[in-house]
Every structure is written in C-alpha cells, then in structure tokens.
Amino acid sequence: MTLTELRYLVAIADHGHFGRAAAAAGVAQPTLSAQLRKLEDYLGVELVERSRKGVRLTAAGERIVTHARRALAEQQAILRLTRHRAKPLEGPYRLGAIPTLGPYLLPSLLPALKQAHPELDLVVIEDLTDNLLGLLDDGRLDAALVALPVELRGRQAAPLFDEGFFAVEPADTDRPLPDEAPAISEAELAAARLLVLSDGHCLRDQVLAACARPSPGGDDFRAASLETLRELVAAGFGTTLVPALAAHAWQRGGERRMIFRPVEGEAGHRRIGLVWRRGTGDADATALARVCRDAVPPEVRPIES
C-alpha cells in the first residue's frame, strides 16, 4: 500500500468519476484504475462500485478514505517541516472561512498575504463552522477562520480579533441619515422584530445571545446569508445584527437604505480566531495569524499574540 494509491482513492472520493479523478491526480485514467485495483487486492476488499453511471465508494471505501485523508495530511505536514522550516507559508495551503467573515475580511487579508508570503499557493474554502472543522479534522484543510470558542479536541486555536455587532434598521425615508446613530439599548433589541440567519450559522446563536433571546419569533424571517438579511432590512421587514466588518463594508459601498447602530454590552461582539490541527503546521499557522492581525481593518480590535 502506497501514499500514491491512497491519493488516487481520495481523488475518486472527491470527483466520483475515474476520468475527472485521473485528471485531478495528473495521471492517465488506466493508470489510476490499475493502481486502485492493486490497492483493493492488497487490502482484500472492494473500495469502489463501478457502473456505467459512474463510480461510488463502498461502505469499506468510505471508512478507508477517512484514514487516507489523514495519512495524506500528515505527509504534507512532514514536507512542511522539512522544506519550509525557514520560510513558512510556501506552497499549497488550504484555508477555510465562515461565510459571515470571508467576504469582508479577505479583501484586506489576501493582498497582505501575497505581499508577506509571495510563494504561498492559497486555496480558500467558505463553509459553515461545523463543516470547516470536519474538513480540518479530515486533513482537507490546513486551517480555518472561525468564531471562537470551538471545541479544541485535537485542535489548536489562536484568537485574532474582536469584532463588534451593529444593529441594522430600515432608514426613515422622510428624514436624512444621521452622521452617527446612537447605540441601541437592550430594551430596544428585546422589542425589535429580529431577522436572523438560518440554523447552522454560528452568528445566529451569537446574535440571539446578544439580544438575550432563546430563539427568534416563529414568524421571523431566517436567511441563508447576510446579503439576504440586508435586503430584508432595507425592505422594512425588521432589524438584524451584523458584524462590524460587514456593516462597514455596506456603508463604504454607499448603503443609504438603513441605519447602523453599535451594540453595547458584554455580548455585543464576537471573537474571530484561527484553528488548525494540533501538532501540525504550527509555523504556518503562527505566520498566518500574524498577517491576519496586521491586516484587519481599523473597525475591529486585534488581539496581541
């Protein structure tokens, strides 16, 4: 059994097609198919089901792929230790980011990373926190930008910055927008018709905590993205809470349909951190965290390492 054979098996799992898997692995399809047969003969189990419609993993194949991903991730960790000890963040690096952060942080982070580490080959994957942590544990991500805290079993985390929340309300079209709207009170938040993200978004729970609510009202809208919430607020359906980076991005974009009011109090912010697998890629993660703290816009408060 070789790492190359495991890599081909993972390619099949990712693409569900021999031709596409072979192209992704950079080999001819007969080569990939032959190596996969060799792996099946060695292990004594069928790993994939082949049919005219395509290919899919067997139950045994699904279990083995999980271990194969981890083995390949450890191989990459070994290579980073030996090749990039003097210069971290060179070569391929897979970074995850939650959807309520990525579009608003990456425009400042990516140019800073390119300048600080020009040899970095970065791939960014955007997904919900639980999905990103699963990809991280399986070795399909090297690190992830998420809201803390998260469970750290087998993982390490470095806090990067604190990001305040803004209450976003429909603007009164009969009055000019104020230069600086006052902070919103707990009583006002409690009385507002709250618009929140759908289940699975960590920001949903943080917003409900900031508003001291166990759950939104049964008739409230639940959106899949901050941009959907933005349009619902602008249309007058209610109030929502958004992180500072998103709020300032909307304001810089000339948003005039809504008012932005800071949320005060202990629950009026979230903490963003970098999470990676314990004992792997420490130098890369440390370098990435340093760039993240230096690159954050002035609207958030970086946390000293």
Side-chain angles (χ1 to χ4, degrees), residues 151-259:
E151 185 178 354
L152 291 181
R153 183 181 59 188
R155 311 179 188 115
Q156 292 177 260
L160 301 176
F161 58 87
D162 287 329
E163 183 179 19
F165 291 138
F166 280 78
V168 186
E169 303 171 327
D172 187 342
T173 56
D174 295 330
R175 299 180 182 179
L177 288 176
D179 293 333
E180 186 173 343
I184 193 167
S185 68
E186 293 182 4
E188 288 176 291
L189 278 176
R193 187 188 189 195
L194 189 62
L195 308 176
V196 297
L197 291 171
S198 54
D199 292 339
H201 288 270
C202 58
L203 181 60
R204 166 189 168 89
D205 297 331
Q206 294 157 354
V207 166
L208 293 176
C211 298
R213 293 194 190 184
S215 64
D219 60 344
D220 284 334
F221 289 91
R222 303 181 189 188
S225 71
L226 286 182
E227 294 303 318
T228 301
L229 287 179
R230 176 181 183 176
E231 295 306 318
L232 289 171
V233 171
F237 284 103
T239 299
T240 193
L241 266 62
V242 300
L245 290 180
H248 285 279
W250 294 353
Q251 289 176 306
R252 285 195 301 272
E255 180 60 73
R256 306 289 294 174
R257 300 173 297 170
M258 53 194 67
I259 297 173

Side-chain angles (χ1 to χ4, degrees), residues 9 51 61 65 108-109 131 149 181 184 192 199 222 246 264 266 301:
L9 177 61
S51 69
V65 160
S108 60
L109 176 59
N131 296 338
I184 193 167
D199 292 339
R222 303 181 189 188
E264 295 183 339
E266 189 65 26
R301 301 186 299 275

Side-chain angles (χ1 to χ4, degrees), residues 70 74 110 128 158 160 242 259 296-297:
R70 293 172 183 167
E74 291 301 322
L110 295 183
L128 302 180
L160 301 176
V242 300
I259 297 173
V296 294

Side-chain angles (χ1 to χ4, degrees), residues 87-91 93 95 105-124 287-288 290-292 294-295:
K87 296 180 65 177
L89 290 180
E90 287 188 345
Y93 197 84
L95 177 65
L105 176 63
L106 293 180
S108 60
L109 176 59
L110 295 183
L113 276 173
K114 185 175 182 180
Q115 181 175 6
H117 301 279
E119 301 303 318
L120 175 65
D121 181 13
L122 184 66
V123 174
V124 177
L288 179 57
R290 184 182 304 114
V291 176
C292 286
D294 292 340

